[in-house]
Amino acid sequence: MSSDNIFSALAKYNSARDENYLTEAFVFLMNSLLIRERAIGLEILTQLCVSNNEFSFDEDEAISISTQETTEQGTPDIKVFSPDKLIYIEVKHDSPPGYKQIERYKKALESSPVTIKHVNLLTRFAVDFSEAEEQPYKHVRWFEIYNWLANTMGRVKDPVSVYLIDSFNSFLEVKQMSLQKVSWEYISGVPALNNLIN
């Protein structure tokens, strides 16, 4: 664990609430990007929240991202809110969604006057929705977050944002929640490693 990685360094104080810490760290990063690198922040937010270009976030749109929104139907991990959008995102580290969790959060959205109301799911592992009564509007995996952030690094100019993105992705690597591109070195190296073991 790198000592200059702020997210990994602070994680040791939050081991009992692993999923909550992961959520808080990600929301902190997203809010920072929306302030310091607005276009990059909107790009990641769009990839996280929007399916098939059905809607978009505008450059001048007032967007707030917060955690642990209390509703009568439970407590979604992330709330993305703007004047015409309300999106709940349930975050899972190793566990599957709780009993009728997606359904309950959709019900919690019913009373909101905004136009766009969705429940999304962010997980480490794939989820089988074949038997679920309610499915999320969009299901995202943590390795996708890792890749989206990594793909922005050549375009990010703000040094604080570069540091935060790099630190968060390093944190995901430590947690084995990244899926890095397999290059020729790995392809050639695996048979060589097998030969060495034999």
Side-chain angles (χ1 to χ4, degrees):
M1 209 179 288
S2 176
S3 60
D4 61 351
N5 180 337
I6 190 169
F7 297 111
S8 293
L10 293 175
K12 63 185 175 184
Y13 300 109
N14 294 276
S15 58
R17 301 181 142 251
D18 209 38
E19 194 172 274
N20 288 348
Y21 176 74
L22 178 63
T23 303
E24 294 288 346
F26 178 58
V27 168
F28 176 84
L29 171 63
M30 288 303 302
N31 280 320
S32 179
L33 289 176
L34 287 176
I35 293 168
R36 305 180 76 93
E37 287 276 356
R38 182 77 174 178
I40 299 295
L42 291 174
E43 177 183 319
I44 302 298
L45 191 62
T46 298
Q47 291 169 313
L48 175 65
C49 295
V50 182
S51 183
N52 300 318
N53 298 314
E54 291 183 351
F55 62 93
S56 63
F57 292 95
D58 298 327
E59 182 71 31
D60 58 351
E61 188 172 351
I63 302 167
S64 73
I65 307 175
S66 57
T67 60
Q68 304 301 314
E69 168 79 4
T70 301
T71 75
E72 292 182 0
Q73 300 297 325
T75 308
D77 293 306
I78 299 175
K79 172 187 174 182
V80 178
F81 179 75
S82 75
D84 67 338
K85 301 176 186 72
L86 178 54
I87 301 165
Y88 288 148
I89 303 172
E90 182 60 21
V91 177
K92 293 296 178 188
H93 185 276
D94 291 321
S95 60
Y99 177 70
K100 294 195 173 181
Q101 207 164 20
I102 303 300
E103 181 181 337
R104 287 187 286 115
Y105 293 161
K106 284 184 179 181
K107 188 173 182 181
L109 287 171
E110 288 176 359
S111 60
S112 175
V114 300
T115 308
I116 296 165
K117 300 180 271 194
H118 293 305
V119 177
N120 291 0
L121 184 63
L122 175 55
T123 66
R124 179 178 185 176
F125 301 112
V127 176
D128 180 11
F129 295 108
S130 60
E131 296 182 11
E133 294 180 19
E134 290 284 343
Q135 296 185 13
Y137 168 74
K138 186 170 186 178
H139 177 212
V140 174
R141 305 266 303 279
W142 277 109
F143 79 86
E144 294 176 284
I145 300 288
Y146 176 92
N147 289 336
W148 296 337
L149 289 168
N151 290 337
T152 68
M153 286 301 274
R155 294 176 285 131
V156 177
K157 305 301 181 195
D158 175 60
V160 173
S161 298
V162 170
Y163 170 75
L164 290 175
I165 291 171
D166 185 57
S167 292
F168 188 77
N169 269 4
S170 295
F171 176 57
L172 291 181
E173 288 174 14
V174 168
K175 294 178 69 57
Q176 299 180 337
M177 297 173 79
S178 63
L179 188 60
Q180 299 173 3
K181 183 179 178 181
V182 176
S183 61
W184 67 269
E185 293 97 336
Y186 287 103
I187 295 170
S188 301
V190 170
L193 178 62
N194 285 335
N195 289 337
L196 179 63
I197 292 171
N198 289 336

